[in-house]
Amino acid sequence: MEDDALEDTLAQFKEKRLGGWGILQLTAGTGLAVYAMWAGVLMPGFRRVPLKLQVPYMPASKRQVGNVMTLLKGRSGGFADLGSGDGRIVLEASQQGFSPAVGYELNPWLVRLARFYAWRAGQYKQVSYRREDLWKVDLSGYKNISVFLAPSVLTLLQEKLLTELPEDALIVAGRFPFPNWTPCRIEGEDGEGKQRRGRGSDEETGVSPVSTVAADKQAAARRAEPSTPAMASEETSLRALESLMTEFFHSCTTNDRKREIEELLNSFAGQPGSWRHCLYFLSNSRNEYVMMYSLTVFENLVNKMWVGVASEDKAELRSCLPKLLLSQHTLLPFFIRNKLCKVIVDIGRQDWPMFYHDFFSNTLQLVQSHSLAPLGLVLLKMTSEELVCPREDLSVARKEELKKLLLEQIPTVLNLLTGILETVWDKHSVTVTTPPPSPTSRQTGLMVGDSTPVGLESESGTLCLLALECLAHLFSWIPLSSSITPALLASIFHFARFGCQLPVKTKPLPNSNGNSSPGSLLANGSEGQGRTGQMIGHADRARLGVMAMSCINELMCKNCVPLDFEEFLLRMFQQTFYLLQRLTNSHSHTNTHSVKNRLQELDESYVEKFTDFLRLFVSVHLRRIESNTQFPLVEFLALLFKYTFNQPTHEGYLACLDIWSIFLDYLTTKIRSRLADRDSVLNRYKDALVLLLREVLNRIQFRLNQSQLEELDDETLDDDQQTEWQRYLRQSLEVVARVMELLPSQTFSILFPVLQEDLDIYLGLQQFIVTTRTNRRLNITAEADCRKLHCALRDLSSLLQAVGRLAEFFTGDVFTARFNDALAIVQRLVEVTCYGSQISLYDVEMAVPSVLKPDLIDVHAQSLAALQAYSHWLAQFCSEVQRQQDQTQFVDLITSTMAATTPLINAKVPEKLLVSACHLLVSMATTVRPVFLVSLPAVQNVFNLITENHNHRLPQEAHVLVCRALSNMLLLPWPSLPEAEQQWPSRSTSHARLVSTLTHQYRLLPRPPDHHTNSKVVLQQTLCVLRDIVDSISGEATKSRQICYQSLQESVQVTLALFPLYIQQPDVTDEMLSFFLTLFQALRVQMGVAFTEQIIQTFLSMFTREQLAVSILQEGSAGSKVVEKFLKILQVVVQEPGQTFKPMLPSILSLCMEQVYPIVAERSCPDVKAEMFELLFQILHQNWRFFFKTSVLSSVQRSGAEEHMENQAQFIAAMQAFGQSFLQPDIHIFKQNLRYLEILNSKHKLYHRKLFRSSMLFHFINVLLQVLLHKSHDLLQDDITLALYNMAAVDFQAFYSSFLPEFLSGCQGLDPHQRTTLARNFTPERDLPSFSQGVYRLVNDLRFYRLCNGSLPPGTLKL
């Protein structure tokens, strides 16, 4: 409200008397009005502005508007109000003749309000109010500016106004004056009513709370300061930038404001010549944000716009930045220094050696300088990182040139780095005169020529750390050669020895403040040099050791070793042998450290690096070194054994077990390839393997390692769905299994006695069970006894798993040779399972039930699982006894097993035990298949339980398993018996009765279905059982499948009848379709053509386009899964050979292309889309002659006759769908469909077909090349390149002469010369490696040219 209007209103209120009701109305109305003004007008703008930049909405009064117009009196031209509020100043300016008159305002409600006022005043077409980014607005068209903004913004605005406004422009600042400009005239007073003195104030209004300050641009440029105008401007800009960066990183700054600042900074960085300001900022600011921003501007300039930079500007940058680095590198934070180094290296990457000839030589000079060597090493490492593995902003030719140039310098670089390491080592070490022991002796000692460092100064430590970092990166890409000298390797191993040293407890050296400083002197990779003469501590020594091992491991990663380097490799292994001696030496220095304590006190990273080295040595180089007599391999294994079993952490131990697994695999492969030398090879390593086996078995036993093993988590599952303990046990048992494969007799003789010992404890528990009238109790109550029992049970469980893991080594060709051992194991397992079932230990009360009861259940379950693992041995035993008269032993084993198993198939048994018993029953019925199994009384009891006892139903998983076992007993053929003795009629009758009983409730479901939950439960449970029964015999003989379908036929008819009734319930429909899918996969032949067609037609009629759309669009829902299952069924149908289902192809194609594809084409739907393309592929692959009728004779003759094609429209539509999928972002669909096209080409010569070749081939090539150009699927680069090669191979001549020029002519952002160069560089080779290299070069250089051309200023002439 204006001040004048406010006075009139107050006068009216003074003359009017208000009652109580009137006061209440006035109060309520005022409150609502204030809230409406705040919520609708002020608050939206305040949300976008940080607190310190918020300027309240204070509309100008008539006098204030008059002050602005007074200051503008006599002027004309364009007028702009920055922060125009409700627009009244703009409106008055327009009425005073200023044109155009424009207001810029951030608050959208105020912009609308201003437009309303303009419309009401009839000036709507004469004024303009805009909500735009102030920093992107071009103000050069205005001579008159009015400003109402926050003070922090005014500082930045000065630079923009000085740059854009004409010389005769006049700026009026309201409320807040420009901080660095002297006003030429002032109208009004400040907010306290005091006149502004010394500012040229000539009027005191006495009313306005705001002063309006006028300052012209010319006066601002003539500031009364000793500095030049340019310097003043840069200094002002620097202060403004510092303020802006501080605001950006302030915790109170809103995200909207941060985006505004970011846009402002990006806009500044994109302006030509901004780097000059950044050079000033970098030289004169200590604000880290400003320095990092300035370096980012330089980095963007060099990497993206370098081609468009003038040559003299490039020369200036090449000169100024290194000078700046040399003058300030000691003052800069390490990350700023490193960033500046990277910018300099980036310039070298662009210009060396042609325009920056001394780039690399300058770096080498720095490395050789005593005081500047650390800086030189930082530059050298960055040069290696940036020039060898550059991004795609360089052409392939330039990349190759840079790598070649660097390789030429490698000998010099390595010599320099060797000199640095040798000099430091010689300076700080004292040579030991005692001769070292032989490396093949059992003694431990120092290295050959060993020397013990007395101490290492921090400055030298920093220098060596940087040198080792350089070497680590250099070794990652340079090839192995004689340039890597023995002296260099020896120096690296000298520093690797630092990691082997134990920490010495000494008083920390005082820092400059007199306080003890425990921190690292080598922090941040050489930021601090430390005080001269100050020695590095243990942590810094460890860092040197870690970095030295990183260098060694980089060399070890290289599998390709030239002959002249093998000698050096041997020396490396010998040096490592000595390091391993040091690490496992428990007698060095003091006798108080065991090997485990020693490893525990060493740096964890160093131990990890050393373990990595051992893994690389065994996996990559063992084959090279094993036969070399100069390397003591057996002694090395002894040290590795010591290193493994003294690891201080479980992770370290498992990492070492991986190394042993690799070694055992290598040994197994070697023995298989050299059977004649088997005994000699095994005898060499036999002792080591036996020791390994014993110790691994000891490590998994709680009675020997309870405290360590209980640290392992046995509850939380990892990504592989196993607990920490399970992972530990699995890896240990894998080592046991590998040793068993090499040394079966020794392994059995070691493992079985340990198992017997724990079994005796378990089997002896019966004597401690006390039985009363009400319960049974385990009479073991003492804490120590309970703990011992707990450990024994845990160990027995682990050993039972070990025994089960070894079952595979008793079958096959070794069955007879190892029969007695296997029989002893199986008999013992049967005894244990019978014992557990008879006394039901899971149902006994005990002292610590939360601990002991799970242990007892686990032992019982593991015994069942171990016995199940020997089912294949039992099956082979069954086949053997069929040929013998005496089958007593086998029958007793099976009978006892069933007697132990069937009592556990009860709903009252713990589920873990129940499921284990069910799995064993399935294995007996499916794998062993004894003839007499179904007639055993124990098995008959299970039949009765399933078919008669509905009141105590088993859990669903167990119920499904038992039904599968019973079904397989009746369906699967008995091994080694002729067809006439299979008793199929009686077995068929029994199976039909079993299925009838299982489906009784299902077949009686009401139609239409009721809404009771029980109906849905019956349907889902029954179909789950039937699906499992069908799936279990899918690969069996025809007779088994016939009997199965005869038993299921009525249930299948019922399911088909129920399907339309449940179509609106996706969860039920999904279960039905899963059942039908299994039927189609296993029994489609038995179902017959007519019934199969009836099912498919029912589905096609039910899945209308509307129904499909509703289901598909619910991504991840049950409806979507229903469509996936339906498409899977169609896939099975179209894959059927012969002409049986060919008449259905048109309707399936129509469904796919006309109903499903339009829905999924433009949407995500990855699962449905994948199944749809799978269906399309199977239609094409399995029914190729549906489209191409070419005869076999014409294909062989290759007469060139016209190929006969049918259903061309459907084929084209399918190919177009595949092509469109390559434009989608889903990489999985892309990879799948690319593979499908390659298969179609491999099997059916898709790319060579006339239709594809003439109208589609080049389109596909174009799409795939565009994918490579846009880097949307870089992970598939090799697959895409191979597909491109196969497509181009159809007609290489047309590809090079026709497609390639046409493709390049259509590429935007290239000039004719660049197109010609790209075409010329793609050499017309016809082999895959050369073609792949050509594609890579084309894509890389095309991106490079586009980047270069995009960085050129507008109007640049390209020469």
Side-chain angles (χ1 to χ4, degrees), residues 978-1271:
E979 189 72 13
E981 299 179 18
Q982 293 289 341
Q983 303 178 20
W984 288 124
S986 61
R987 295 170 71 183
S988 176
T989 303
S990 299
H991 191 266
R993 187 165 56 250
L994 172 66
V995 172
S996 176
T997 304
L998 293 175
T999 60
H1000 176 71
Q1001 289 181 308
Y1002 176 68
R1003 288 181 283 110
L1004 296 178
L1005 287 176
R1007 305 176 200 175
D1010 56 24
H1011 297 289
H1012 294 297
T1013 308
N1014 187 53
S1015 297
K1016 184 183 291 188
V1017 171
V1018 168
L1019 188 149
Q1020 292 176 325
Q1021 290 180 346
T1022 305
L1023 288 180
C1024 184
V1025 170
L1026 297 182
R1027 186 175 74 247
D1028 187 78
I1029 289 174
V1030 174
D1031 188 56
S1032 66
I1033 54 96
S1034 60
E1036 295 298 332
T1038 302
K1039 188 65 177 178
S1040 298
R1041 287 183 285 165
Q1042 286 177 346
I1043 295 173
C1044 182
Y1045 181 67
Q1046 290 170 4
S1047 302
L1048 292 174
Q1049 194 166 7
E1050 183 179 356
S1051 299
V1052 174
Q1053 295 280 4
V1054 169
T1055 307
L1056 187 62
L1058 290 173
F1059 183 78
L1061 305 178
Y1062 285 93
I1063 191 66
Q1064 300 301 327
Q1065 300 185 41
D1067 53 341
V1068 178
T1069 311
D1070 179 53
E1071 196 66 50
M1072 288 182 171
L1073 285 177
S1074 297
F1075 174 57
F1076 278 113
L1077 176 60
T1078 307
L1079 281 176
F1080 274 89
Q1081 290 170 335
L1083 303 177
R1084 59 183 177 276
V1085 175
Q1086 287 71 31
M1087 289 164 62
V1089 177
F1091 186 54
T1092 302
E1093 288 185 353
Q1094 179 187 348
I1095 295 173
I1096 296 298
Q1097 291 300 335
T1098 301
F1099 291 162
L1100 292 175
S1101 63
M1102 295 306 301
F1103 284 106
T1104 62
R1105 181 163 185 171
E1106 293 74 17
Q1107 181 67 37
L1108 287 169
V1110 170
S1111 300
I1112 291 173
L1113 295 180
Q1114 298 175 358
E1115 182 61 40
S1117 66
S1120 180
K1121 293 178 182 177
V1122 165
V1123 178
E1124 294 170 38
K1125 295 283 175 57
F1126 176 48
L1127 293 174
K1128 283 179 180 290
I1129 290 174
L1130 296 181
Q1131 291 168 21
V1132 176
V1133 171
V1134 300
Q1135 290 181 71
E1136 183 66 24
Q1139 299 298 315
T1140 306
F1141 299 115
K1142 293 300 181 283
M1144 304 180 68
L1145 279 179
S1147 56
I1148 294 175
L1149 261 174
S1150 174
L1151 171 88
C1152 192
M1153 298 308 304
E1154 297 175 13
Q1155 298 189 51
V1156 179
Y1157 179 67
I1159 300 172
V1160 303
E1162 299 302 327
R1163 295 177 177 85
S1164 168
C1165 312
D1167 297 328
V1168 176
K1169 194 178 292 187
E1171 297 301 336
M1172 187 211 71
F1173 279 112
E1174 168 78 11
L1175 176 58
L1176 270 183
F1177 164 70
Q1178 294 297 347
I1179 291 173
L1180 292 165
H1181 181 41
Q1182 304 293 342
N1183 303 275
W1184 190 254
R1185 288 175 59 80
F1186 181 75
F1187 304 99
F1188 296 94
K1189 291 291 186 180
T1190 308
S1191 65
V1192 176
L1193 182 60
S1194 63
S1195 300
V1196 173
Q1197 291 176 343
R1198 299 179 180 272
S1199 60
E1202 288 290 324
E1203 57 187 10
H1204 181 61
M1205 185 173 184
E1206 295 182 354
N1207 304 297
Q1208 180 173 323
Q1210 290 90 332
F1211 178 81
I1212 293 174
M1215 287 296 103
Q1216 287 175 342
F1218 276 102
Q1220 286 293 326
S1221 71
F1222 294 144
L1223 301 175
Q1224 302 299 319
D1226 193 322
I1227 191 172
H1228 300 290
I1229 299 294
F1230 188 102
K1231 182 178 182 179
Q1232 168 191 284
N1233 289 354
L1234 191 64
R1235 182 172 61 86
Y1236 289 161
L1237 287 185
E1238 289 289 276
I1239 294 173
L1240 292 175
N1241 181 59
S1242 173
K1243 301 293 185 182
H1244 307 290
K1245 299 295 180 184
L1246 169 66
Y1247 304 155
H1248 297 262
R1249 297 292 172 176
K1250 182 179 179 181
L1251 176 63
F1252 189 92
R1253 189 174 66 247
S1254 61
S1255 60
M1256 303 180 194
L1257 180 63
F1258 285 171
H1259 290 293
F1260 273 93
I1261 295 177
N1262 182 67
V1263 168
L1264 294 179
L1265 279 176
Q1266 293 294 346
V1267 169
L1268 290 177
L1269 280 172
H1270 292 94
K1271 303 181 69 173

Side-chain angles (χ1 to χ4, degrees), residues 651-710:
E651 288 299 322
Y653 172 68
L654 294 180
C656 290
L657 283 189
D658 283 339
I659 299 173
W660 282 104
S661 295
I662 294 170
F663 171 72
L664 293 170
D665 288 342
Y666 163 77
L667 211 53
T668 304
T669 304
K670 181 178 179 179
I671 289 173
R672 287 175 180 170
S673 62
R674 295 167 55 183
L675 291 176
D677 299 336
R678 174 188 174 90
D679 292 338
S680 62
V681 173
L682 284 178
N683 287 335
R684 183 182 184 189
Y685 301 110
K686 179 179 177 181
D687 293 342
L689 297 183
V690 169
L691 279 174
L692 174 67
L693 175 65
R694 288 185 185 278
E695 193 59 35
V696 169
L697 287 175
N698 288 341
R699 284 304 182 98
I700 63 174
Q701 296 185 60
F702 276 78
R703 62 188 178 90
L704 301 177
N705 306 278
Q706 182 179 4
S707 60
Q708 293 90 339
L709 293 180
E710 285 184 344

Side-chain angles (χ1 to χ4, degrees), residues 439-442 577 580 631-640:
T440 59
S441 71
R442 297 283 180 171
F577 181 85
L580 191 55
F631 186 79
L633 185 58
V634 175
E635 288 80 358
F636 168 80
L637 291 177
L639 292 175
L640 177 60

Side-chain angles (χ1 to χ4, degrees), residues 925-936:
T926 307
T927 305
V928 184
R929 304 186 195 180
V931 176
F932 57 87
L933 184 63
V934 73
S935 61
L936 292 175

